[in-house]
Amino acid sequence: TGTMAGDPTEFASLRDFFGENNSKKHQVALGTVKSQIGHTKAAAGAASIIKTALALHHKILPPTINVTEPNPKLNIKNSAFYLNTETR
């Protein structure tokens, strides 16, 4: 969501789904299209689906740009997630 309240809420849901006690660290990439094109409001879901479809088609994991440090409240460093900042 790109908000101080929304991001921790969304991340908490992801952490709950993938398991807070997952022993494997940094195995799930996090990314966003919002850092590339801005907030598209009602079209945000469509933009994300297009980005996902293109990533699958080209067989790449696109980087998240314009983000250097995630919200420290998320505590990503101690989770199964990592912020994908390079093309893979």
Side-chain angles (χ1 to χ4, degrees):
T1 61
T3 66
M4 293 303 285
D7 287 349
T9 302
E10 286 183 0
F11 188 70
S13 296
L14 289 169
R15 209 175 44 240
D16 289 346
F17 181 80
F18 285 97
E20 198 169 34
N21 297 318
N22 187 341
S23 62
K24 295 181 181 177
K25 302 289 185 208
H26 309 148
Q27 68 178 14
V28 181
L30 292 177
T32 180
V33 72
K34 189 181 297 178
S35 69
Q36 296 167 309
I37 63 173
H39 198 301
T40 55
K41 300 192 185 211
S48 295
I49 288 174
I50 292 167
K51 181 179 178 180
T52 301
L54 286 169
L56 291 169
H57 175 74
H58 294 289
K59 298 179 181 172
I60 63 161
L61 185 58
T64 293
I65 62 171
N66 302 321
V67 178
T68 55
E69 184 66 34
N71 183 337
K73 291 181 182 178
L74 303 181
N75 195 20
I76 288 177
K77 293 177 183 175
N78 294 314
S79 74
F81 302 93
Y82 68 94
L83 185 63
N84 187 53
T85 57
E86 59 187 59
T87 303
R88 299 174 195 271

